[in-house]
Amino acid sequence: MRLIIMGPPGAGKGTQATALAARINGAHISTGDIFRANVAEETELGTLAKQYMDAGEYVPDEVTNAMVKDRLSQPDALTAFLLDGYPRTLDQVHTLDAMLADLGSQLDGVVALTVDSEELIARLLKRAQTSGRTDDTEDVIRHRQEVYVSETAPLLDVYRERGILFEVDGMGSIEDIEARVAAALPA
Ligand code: ADP
């Protein structure tokens, strides 16, 4: 199965993504994790990405698209994958469409976690106390929500129109949400 998981910052996307990737026995491709690994290793890509991440901005599409293209073409991602944090812009949606067409494959579904915005900010501020992530300060957290609403939320309509959007209530315990995600998946 080839899936995308989406949700605003703080929706619990990363937590659910790990479980979901295991469930579908697919490669878990998290653009945020790949960027953070590059930052930690001080690669050229990491140095570039860090400036955007620290400001709560998206890394430019051409950089992100090239990175995902490379990752998606690796053998472990051929039959099953979960994209976590990608696509985040309409440009990325179109690039992903082209990549999958080249690979002769297509998406089976898009899981979208929904959480109300006050809860999101509260969760992120709590995480900020322990995560050590330099993009977890209050101003940056609020900015990332705005960027999500303007850049990424419109993608939900695109996938809804394609009939492959599965919206899942992201409020509640990790286990409850996991069960809802599993129930929402296409057969
Ligand atoms: P969160 O889920 O907390 O919003 P991620 O860990 O998915 O964050 O991503 C962290 C940061 O990495 C983003 O704020 C952004 O700067 C960058 N990033 C991740 N994925 C993308 C993407 N698809 N396009 C552009 N930038 C991205």
Side-chain angles (χ1 to χ4, degrees), residues 28-50 53-54 59 67 71 133-135:
H28 177 189
I29 303 177
S30 160
T31 45
D33 285 353
I34 302 174
F35 283 133
R36 279 185 289 277
N38 276 276
V39 171
E41 289 161 25
E42 298 180 348
T43 67
E44 205 176 312
L45 174 63
T47 308
L48 179 104
K50 187 173 174 9
M53 294 168 79
D54 284 354
V59 176
M67 182 177 89
R71 181 65 189 86
R133 275 175 53 159
T134 45
D135 59 352

Side-chain angles (χ1 to χ4, degrees), residues 83-176:
L83 282 168
D84 165 6
Y86 182 94
R88 262 183 159 101
T89 65
L90 285 170
D91 180 272
Q92 293 178 13
V93 169
H94 299 131
T95 304
L96 175 62
D97 288 341
M99 282 186 233
L100 293 176
D102 280 350
L103 293 165
S105 72
Q106 58 180 27
L107 291 171
D108 297 298
V110 177
V111 175
L113 295 176
T114 56
V115 175
D116 61 58
S117 57
E118 284 313 303
E119 168 78 9
L120 292 174
I121 305 273
R123 284 187 191 178
L124 288 168
L125 288 174
K126 194 168 165 225
R127 183 176 84 183
Q129 295 171 353
T130 52
S131 72
R133 275 175 53 159
T134 45
D135 59 352
D136 270 349
T137 64
E138 181 157 3
D139 283 355
V140 174
I141 285 169
R142 291 197 184 275
H143 184 58
R144 279 160 60 211
Q145 299 293 340
E146 290 163 10
V147 173
Y148 177 84
V149 169
S150 64
E151 299 280 320
T152 305
L155 275 53
L156 296 172
D157 294 331
V158 172
Y159 290 120
R160 188 178 295 114
E161 276 165 28
R162 293 186 191 180
I164 56 169
L165 183 70
F166 303 94
E167 285 182 285
V168 174
D169 177 5
M171 303 284 284
S173 74
I174 291 176
E175 294 74 22
D176 285 352

